[in-house]
């Protein structure tokens, strides 16, 4: 901002405005806007807070961003704002890395145990008032490949290790002796490594390189009866190929919190497949998450006003915040 | 056994005989019997292997046990064989302590996460093809009281701690600085301690002291919205009091793997309560559990033949194997 002018902050939100904004409103002119109002809110704005992180409205309103210098998104994945004009601009992009890590890790661990102990089967039997003893599986001693070695993947790896699973990661470049993953294999070489694991967890950022990485070839490479967990982005998966792999019994189960199309359309076959667990893009959204998102933004906003370095600056060519490791 | 006579082993089983018995059959006369055949099998038998550990047939056949010296039961709980005539006899009682510990611990951890993340709610919404985002809860930072400090309780405590929960135990006598529990409070003083925990896990042995310990008073003492997990014995709980506590919303959920009456009768209200997870007494029964049970028995059988000390000798007045700690 220039001199003593109050900075102008546009906030893209739906009906639900972000909480805890008073401290920011006291030092900035804040314009709350929905998708339709975004162009006029962006005109003359210095910064944009994409609170409605699922909105796809930013590219279409970009023409009005005549003095924008900073865009912060209330999510870990930045794929909704990775369009060429932003990528090639000088606008700094930051994300909400860190807010969701531990919660998503618990969610994934719970899903892994739920499959091993067939909680879904127990619930269906309960609905039929049917008592049927079944043998269950141990979790300790089984193995998981966590595809995505950012902080969420790391938190997942730590928690799966804590219950005795053998864990490896898949990331941009292969390496060994990683503190959380032990071995990291190269994502480019995924199919060669997939056969070695009982569970495959997708938590990679959505980029040009990762879009559709879980396709027929990947599912064919997985161990017979493997399970697949997606807490990353739906577009990492070729859904039709996943459905085939599940129908053919190659995979024994899939737990999906994210989908190519959200909300998942009523006609999707995934809803009714017994070996699929569907949830509504919520794995990281624990009570208080909205406050945590605004708290992170407010900290970055104070840094931005003071000219201090921002947290979570996204490498716009990679499509995520590069790891400091 | 006397001299070179082959020992006579009675095995109480249902339709399903124990696996892997060949080594024992090569050195003993083995009589497989169901409940009706048990008296004639017991007559002249030196040892009894209660493989059908849920059977209540032993007390009624006891009159025929004219030379029995050892009874081994294929379960951790010995309550089905804790009748006065056995308790007051010289017959040595051993159990299957150790076989179920780690599997039950995983099961309990899975249930705790399933509640926090509302997996049951997600499954019900999936059945209705309904996309509904909800906020979930963190598990780390919440607290659990594990009532029962035997090896299963210890395994549960270790696993809940591993995901960041605060854990304490409740056992016969209060103590501090326990390696697994930290603090152990006295079960006799349970109501005073129950308010301090988000989750209460019942895994105590069923004895005269523990029968019905979870009654209206206990549920009233629990934290508003607490959750209750029973992987011990159904008779630890006054079921009607539990149902009331759930209906009144004092407890926000209960996961029950064991029941006063098993199979749970179709008319039980527990089947249809949305905040109750019912499973069919299977928390410890992982693939291979029957082999593990027979392996433990076979090891004890070899010890018994050789006159070496048996593993898992139950203190018949306590009703469980006293901890070596």
């Amino acid at each position: 901002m220039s001199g003593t002018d109050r900075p102008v902050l546009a906030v893209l939100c739906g009906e639900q405005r972000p909480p805890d904004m008073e401290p920011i409103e006291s030092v900035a002119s804040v314009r709350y806007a929905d998708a339709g109002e975004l162009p006029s809110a962006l005109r003359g704005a210095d910064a944009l807070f994409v609170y409605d992180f699922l909105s796809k409205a930013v590219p279409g309103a970009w023409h009005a961003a005549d003095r924008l210098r900073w865009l912060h998104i209330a999510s870990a994945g930045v794929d909704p704002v990775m369009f060429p004009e932003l990528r090639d601009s000088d606008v700094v992009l930051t994300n909400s890395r860190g807010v969701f890590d531990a919660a998503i890790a618990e969610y994934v661990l719970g899903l892994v145990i739920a499959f091993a102990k067939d909680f879904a089967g127990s619930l269906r039997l309960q609905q039929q008032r049917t008592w049927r003893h079944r043998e269950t599986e141990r979790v300790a001693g089984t193995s998981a490949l966590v595809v995505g070695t950012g902080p969420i993947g790391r938190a997942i790896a730590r928690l799966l290790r804590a219950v005795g699973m053998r864990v490896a990661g898949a990331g941009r470049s292969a390496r060994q002796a990683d503190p959380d993953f032990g071995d990291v294999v190269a994502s480019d070489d995924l199919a060669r490594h997939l056969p070695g694991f009982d569970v495959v967890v997708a938590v990679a950022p959505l980029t040009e390189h990762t879009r559709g990485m879980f396709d027929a070839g990947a599912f064919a490479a997985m161990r017979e009866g493997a399970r697949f967990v997606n807490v990353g982005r739906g577009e990492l998966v070729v859904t039709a190929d996943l459905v085939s792999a599940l129908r053919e019994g190659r995979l024994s189960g899939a737990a999906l919190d994210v989908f190519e199309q959200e909300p998942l359309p009523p006609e999707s076959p995934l809803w009714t497949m017994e070996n699929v667990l569907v949830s509504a893009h919520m794995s990281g959204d624990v009570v208080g998450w909205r406050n945590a998102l605004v708290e992170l933004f407010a900290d970055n906003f104070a840094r931005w006003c003071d000219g201090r370095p921002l947290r979570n600056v996204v490498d716009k060519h990679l499509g995520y915040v590069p790891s400091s490791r």
Side-chain angles (χ1 to χ4, degrees), chain A residues 163-184:
Chain A
V163 302
M165 292 183 78
R166 180 172 66 79
V167 177
R172 221 177 342 150
S173 50
R175 54 192 186 275
Q176 293 183 312
D178 180 277
D180 297 318
F181 294 106
D183 289 343
V184 174

PDB file of all heavy atoms in Angstrom, chain A residues 163-184:
ATOM      1  N   VAL A 163       1.400 -46.676  14.561  1.00  0.00           N
ATOM      2  CA  VAL A 163       0.633 -47.882  14.866  1.00  0.00           C
ATOM      3  C   VAL A 163       1.288 -49.118  14.256  1.00  0.00           C
ATOM      4  O   VAL A 163       0.668 -50.184  14.182  1.00  0.00           O
ATOM      5  CB  VAL A 163      -0.839 -47.762  14.411  1.00  0.00           C
ATOM      6  CG1 VAL A 163      -1.501 -46.555  15.066  1.00  0.00           C
ATOM      7  CG2 VAL A 163      -0.952 -47.669  12.896  1.00  0.00           C
ATOM      8  N   GLY A 164       2.521 -48.976  13.839  1.00  0.00           N
ATOM      9  CA  GLY A 164       3.260 -50.172  13.428  1.00  0.00           C
ATOM     10  C   GLY A 164       3.194 -50.502  11.956  1.00  0.00           C
ATOM     11  O   GLY A 164       3.557 -51.612  11.548  1.00  0.00           O
ATOM     12  N   MET A 165       2.734 -49.566  11.126  1.00  0.00           N
ATOM     13  CA  MET A 165       2.747 -49.823   9.681  1.00  0.00           C
ATOM     14  C   MET A 165       4.126 -49.499   9.113  1.00  0.00           C
ATOM     15  O   MET A 165       4.847 -48.650   9.625  1.00  0.00           O
ATOM     16  CB  MET A 165       1.684 -48.984   8.970  1.00  0.00           C
ATOM     17  CG  MET A 165       0.267 -49.405   9.307  1.00  0.00           C
ATOM     18  SD  MET A 165      -0.982 -48.443   8.389  1.00  0.00           S
ATOM     19  CE  MET A 165      -0.915 -49.227   6.769  1.00  0.00           C
ATOM     20  N   ARG A 166       4.447 -50.175   8.036  1.00  0.00           N
ATOM     21  CA  ARG A 166       5.631 -49.850   7.252  1.00  0.00           C
ATOM     22  C   ARG A 166       5.215 -48.793   6.230  1.00  0.00           C
ATOM     23  O   ARG A 166       4.241 -48.986   5.506  1.00  0.00           O
ATOM     24  CB  ARG A 166       6.137 -51.105   6.542  1.00  0.00           C
ATOM     25  CG  ARG A 166       7.377 -50.900   5.677  1.00  0.00           C
ATOM     26  CD  ARG A 166       7.912 -52.248   5.182  1.00  0.00           C
ATOM     27  NE  ARG A 166       6.998 -52.911   4.267  1.00  0.00           N
ATOM     28  CZ  ARG A 166       6.857 -52.606   2.976  1.00  0.00           C
ATOM     29  NH1 ARG A 166       7.579 -51.642   2.446  1.00  0.00           N
ATOM     30  NH2 ARG A 166       6.011 -53.260   2.210  1.00  0.00           N
ATOM     31  N   VAL A 167       5.915 -47.681   6.185  1.00  0.00           N
ATOM     32  CA  VAL A 167       5.483 -46.565   5.363  1.00  0.00           C
ATOM     33  C   VAL A 167       6.613 -46.121   4.441  1.00  0.00           C
ATOM     34  O   VAL A 167       7.788 -46.161   4.815  1.00  0.00           O
ATOM     35  CB  VAL A 167       5.045 -45.371   6.260  1.00  0.00           C
ATOM     36  CG1 VAL A 167       4.651 -44.171   5.410  1.00  0.00           C
ATOM     37  CG2 VAL A 167       3.895 -45.777   7.165  1.00  0.00           C
ATOM     38  N   ALA A 168       6.247 -45.732   3.239  1.00  0.00           N
ATOM     39  CA  ALA A 168       7.175 -45.044   2.347  1.00  0.00           C
ATOM     40  C   ALA A 168       6.418 -43.878   1.711  1.00  0.00           C
ATOM     41  O   ALA A 168       5.187 -43.800   1.793  1.00  0.00           O
ATOM     42  CB  ALA A 168       7.714 -45.987   1.279  1.00  0.00           C
ATOM     43  N   GLY A 169       7.160 -42.967   1.120  1.00  0.00           N
ATOM     44  CA  GLY A 169       6.546 -41.827   0.445  1.00  0.00           C
ATOM     45  C   GLY A 169       6.828 -41.867  -1.039  1.00  0.00           C
ATOM     46  O   GLY A 169       7.740 -42.551  -1.506  1.00  0.00           O
ATOM     47  N   ALA A 170       6.023 -41.136  -1.801  1.00  0.00           N
ATOM     48  CA  ALA A 170       6.322 -40.926  -3.225  1.00  0.00           C
ATOM     49  C   ALA A 170       6.281 -39.427  -3.468  1.00  0.00           C
ATOM     50  O   ALA A 170       5.273 -38.776  -3.159  1.00  0.00           O
ATOM     51  CB  ALA A 170       5.310 -41.645  -4.110  1.00  0.00           C
ATOM     52  N   GLY A 171       7.374 -38.899  -3.977  1.00  0.00           N
ATOM     53  CA  GLY A 171       7.472 -37.453  -4.190  1.00  0.00           C
ATOM     54  C   GLY A 171       8.215 -37.141  -5.469  1.00  0.00           C
ATOM     55  O   GLY A 171       8.488 -38.034  -6.280  1.00  0.00           O
ATOM     56  N   ARG A 172       8.552 -35.859  -5.620  1.00  0.00           N
ATOM     57  CA  ARG A 172       9.171 -35.418  -6.860  1.00  0.00           C
ATOM     58  C   ARG A 172      10.451 -36.186  -7.152  1.00  0.00           C
ATOM     59  O   ARG A 172      10.694 -36.626  -8.252  1.00  0.00           O
ATOM     60  CB  ARG A 172       9.464 -33.922  -6.756  1.00  0.00           C
ATOM     61  CG  ARG A 172       9.170 -33.146  -7.989  1.00  0.00           C
ATOM     62  CD  ARG A 172       9.424 -31.657  -7.771  1.00  0.00           C
ATOM     63  NE  ARG A 172       9.474 -31.281  -6.363  1.00  0.00           N
ATOM     64  CZ  ARG A 172      10.188 -30.281  -5.871  1.00  0.00           C
ATOM     65  NH1 ARG A 172      10.921 -29.551  -6.679  1.00  0.00           N
ATOM     66  NH2 ARG A 172      10.165 -29.997  -4.583  1.00  0.00           N
ATOM     67  N   SER A 173      11.281 -36.340  -6.115  1.00  0.00           N
ATOM     68  CA  SER A 173      12.562 -37.012  -6.350  1.00  0.00           C
ATOM     69  C   SER A 173      12.782 -38.097  -5.290  1.00  0.00           C
ATOM     70  O   SER A 173      12.411 -37.937  -4.128  1.00  0.00           O
ATOM     71  CB  SER A 173      13.704 -35.994  -6.298  1.00  0.00           C
ATOM     72  OG  SER A 173      13.601 -35.221  -5.121  1.00  0.00           O
ATOM     73  N   ALA A 174      13.350 -39.188  -5.730  1.00  0.00           N
ATOM     74  CA  ALA A 174      13.622 -40.309  -4.827  1.00  0.00           C
ATOM     75  C   ALA A 174      14.721 -39.917  -3.850  1.00  0.00           C
ATOM     76  O   ALA A 174      15.646 -39.181  -4.186  1.00  0.00           O
ATOM     77  CB  ALA A 174      14.042 -41.534  -5.630  1.00  0.00           C
ATOM     78  N   ARG A 175      14.581 -40.395  -2.607  1.00  0.00           N
ATOM     79  CA  ARG A 175      15.639 -40.183  -1.626  1.00  0.00           C
ATOM     80  C   ARG A 175      15.447 -41.188  -0.507  1.00  0.00           C
ATOM     81  O   ARG A 175      14.401 -41.842  -0.401  1.00  0.00           O
ATOM     82  CB  ARG A 175      15.615 -38.754  -1.092  1.00  0.00           C
ATOM     83  CG  ARG A 175      14.273 -38.307  -0.534  1.00  0.00           C
ATOM     84  CD  ARG A 175      14.278 -36.777  -0.316  1.00  0.00           C
ATOM     85  NE  ARG A 175      13.071 -36.319   0.352  1.00  0.00           N
ATOM     86  CZ  ARG A 175      11.929 -36.032  -0.262  1.00  0.00           C
ATOM     87  NH1 ARG A 175      11.817 -36.155  -1.573  1.00  0.00           N
ATOM     88  NH2 ARG A 175      10.879 -35.623   0.413  1.00  0.00           N
ATOM     89  N   GLN A 176      16.472 -41.289   0.311  1.00  0.00           N
ATOM     90  CA  GLN A 176      16.411 -42.268   1.397  1.00  0.00           C
ATOM     91  C   GLN A 176      16.600 -41.571   2.732  1.00  0.00           C
ATOM     92  O   GLN A 176      17.015 -40.421   2.796  1.00  0.00           O
ATOM     93  CB  GLN A 176      17.482 -43.331   1.192  1.00  0.00           C
ATOM     94  CG  GLN A 176      17.195 -44.178  -0.055  1.00  0.00           C
ATOM     95  CD  GLN A 176      18.213 -45.269  -0.229  1.00  0.00           C
ATOM     96  OE1 GLN A 176      19.399 -45.033  -0.146  1.00  0.00           O
ATOM     97  NE2 GLN A 176      17.749 -46.480  -0.478  1.00  0.00           N
ATOM     98  N   ALA A 177      16.291 -42.328   3.793  1.00  0.00           N
ATOM     99  CA  ALA A 177      16.524 -41.841   5.152  1.00  0.00           C
ATOM    100  C   ALA A 177      15.790 -40.538   5.449  1.00  0.00           C
ATOM    101  O   ALA A 177      16.254 -39.699   6.216  1.00  0.00           O
ATOM    102  CB  ALA A 177      18.028 -41.685   5.429  1.00  0.00           C
ATOM    103  N   ASP A 178      14.632 -40.358   4.829  1.00  0.00           N
ATOM    104  CA  ASP A 178      13.795 -39.225   5.193  1.00  0.00           C
ATOM    105  C   ASP A 178      13.272 -39.448   6.616  1.00  0.00           C
ATOM    106  O   ASP A 178      12.893 -40.564   6.970  1.00  0.00           O
ATOM    107  CB  ASP A 178      12.620 -39.132   4.208  1.00  0.00           C
ATOM    108  CG  ASP A 178      11.705 -37.969   4.526  1.00  0.00           C
ATOM    109  OD1 ASP A 178      10.818 -38.115   5.408  1.00  0.00           O
ATOM    110  OD2 ASP A 178      11.885 -36.905   3.919  1.00  0.00           O
ATOM    111  N   PRO A 179      13.222 -38.399   7.431  1.00  0.00           N
ATOM    112  CA  PRO A 179      12.847 -38.618   8.835  1.00  0.00           C
ATOM    113  C   PRO A 179      11.426 -39.163   9.010  1.00  0.00           C
ATOM    114  O   PRO A 179      11.149 -39.875   9.982  1.00  0.00           O
ATOM    115  CB  PRO A 179      12.995 -37.235   9.470  1.00  0.00           C
ATOM    116  CG  PRO A 179      13.043 -36.263   8.337  1.00  0.00           C
ATOM    117  CD  PRO A 179      13.617 -37.011   7.167  1.00  0.00           C
ATOM    118  N   ASP A 180      10.523 -38.818   8.134  1.00  0.00           N
ATOM    119  CA  ASP A 180       9.145 -39.297   8.265  1.00  0.00           C
ATOM    120  C   ASP A 180       8.849 -40.507   7.400  1.00  0.00           C
ATOM    121  O   ASP A 180       8.122 -41.414   7.806  1.00  0.00           O
ATOM    122  CB  ASP A 180       8.160 -38.175   7.909  1.00  0.00           C
ATOM    123  CG  ASP A 180       8.270 -36.999   8.864  1.00  0.00           C
ATOM    124  OD1 ASP A 180       8.386 -37.251  10.079  1.00  0.00           O
ATOM    125  OD2 ASP A 180       8.256 -35.852   8.392  1.00  0.00           O
ATOM    126  N   PHE A 181       9.404 -40.512   6.207  1.00  0.00           N
ATOM    127  CA  PHE A 181       9.045 -41.564   5.248  1.00  0.00           C
ATOM    128  C   PHE A 181      10.047 -42.701   5.182  1.00  0.00           C
ATOM    129  O   PHE A 181       9.722 -43.775   4.681  1.00  0.00           O
ATOM    130  CB  PHE A 181       8.911 -40.969   3.842  1.00  0.00           C
ATOM    131  CG  PHE A 181       7.768 -40.012   3.697  1.00  0.00           C
ATOM    132  CD1 PHE A 181       7.985 -38.655   3.624  1.00  0.00           C
ATOM    133  CD2 PHE A 181       6.465 -40.485   3.649  1.00  0.00           C
ATOM    134  CE1 PHE A 181       6.939 -37.775   3.500  1.00  0.00           C
ATOM    135  CE2 PHE A 181       5.407 -39.608   3.530  1.00  0.00           C
ATOM    136  CZ  PHE A 181       5.649 -38.239   3.455  1.00  0.00           C
ATOM    137  N   GLY A 182      11.259 -42.463   5.662  1.00  0.00           N
ATOM    138  CA  GLY A 182      12.279 -43.462   5.358  1.00  0.00           C
ATOM    139  C   GLY A 182      12.604 -43.329   3.885  1.00  0.00           C
ATOM    140  O   GLY A 182      13.203 -42.351   3.448  1.00  0.00           O
ATOM    141  N   ASP A 183      12.110 -44.267   3.081  1.00  0.00           N
ATOM    142  CA  ASP A 183      12.328 -44.182   1.637  1.00  0.00           C
ATOM    143  C   ASP A 183      11.277 -43.294   0.981  1.00  0.00           C
ATOM    144  O   ASP A 183      10.090 -43.405   1.287  1.00  0.00           O
ATOM    145  CB  ASP A 183      12.237 -45.577   0.993  1.00  0.00           C
ATOM    146  CG  ASP A 183      13.428 -46.441   1.371  1.00  0.00           C
ATOM    147  OD1 ASP A 183      14.453 -45.885   1.838  1.00  0.00           O
ATOM    148  OD2 ASP A 183      13.334 -47.667   1.213  1.00  0.00           O
ATOM    149  N   VAL A 184      11.740 -42.440   0.086  1.00  0.00           N
ATOM    150  CA  VAL A 184      10.826 -41.733  -0.807  1.00  0.00           C
ATOM    151  C   VAL A 184      11.148 -42.199  -2.221  1.00  0.00           C
ATOM    152  O   VAL A 184      12.305 -42.147  -2.653  1.00  0.00           O
ATOM    153  CB  VAL A 184      10.998 -40.204  -0.696  1.00  0.00           C
ATOM    154  CG1 VAL A 184      10.144 -39.494  -1.750  1.00  0.00           C
ATOM    155  CG2 VAL A 184      10.635 -39.721   0.699  1.00  0.00           C
TER     156      VAL A 184
END
